[in-house]
């Protein structure tokens, strides 16, 4: 099921009323291309690549877990630092 913007707004309103905070991350943020350890950004990465090793820090990543870590970092930065925009500093 595809959740539209209005559904997200409704969910956000309901959860904010319960004290839950939601951070929206730009849909074009390169979460799976961004090394969650050192911040290196892989320029080209086909969708069939599921595991990767960062050429900068040699950390091995599962693409989905790496993306989840980066999305969490961006969301937390928005609450803690009041950050805006779609990226995270390396």
């Amino acid at each position: 099921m595809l959740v539209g913007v209005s559904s997200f707004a409704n969910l956000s309103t309901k959860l904010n009323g319960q004290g839950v905070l939601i951070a929206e991350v730009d849909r074009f943020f390169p979460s799976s291309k961004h090394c969650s350890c050192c911040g290196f950004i892989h320029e080209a990465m086909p969708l069939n690549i599921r595991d990767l090793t960062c050429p900068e820090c040699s950390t091995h990543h599962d693409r989905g877990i790496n993306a989840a870590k980066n999305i969490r970092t961006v969301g937390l930065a928005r609450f803690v630092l009041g950050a805006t925009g779609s990226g995270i500093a390396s």
Side-chain angles (χ1 to χ4, degrees):
M1 181 165 130
L2 196 59
V3 177
V5 174
S6 63
S7 296
F8 183 79
N10 290 338
L11 177 64
S12 179
T13 301
K14 287 180 182 179
L15 292 177
N16 281 333
Q18 298 175 11
V20 177
L21 301 174
I22 295 178
E24 188 176 354
V25 177
D26 187 315
R27 68 183 284 195
F28 296 109
F29 172 64
S31 60
S32 63
K33 296 180 181 181
H34 206 283
C35 176
S36 60
C37 291
C38 73
F40 179 80
I41 298 176
H42 298 265
E43 291 301 319
M45 186 184 308
L47 292 175
N48 66 331
I49 303 295
R50 303 310 308 159
D51 293 295
L52 59 126
T53 300
C54 178
E56 289 291 315
C57 67
S58 301
T59 302
H60 182 76
H61 296 286
D62 172 274
R63 186 175 185 155
I65 293 171
N66 183 56
K69 289 178 181 178
N70 287 323
I71 291 168
R72 179 192 63 201
T73 300
V74 171
L76 289 173
R78 290 195 175 184
F79 290 122
V80 174
L81 304 174
T84 59
S86 62
I88 56 177
S90 57

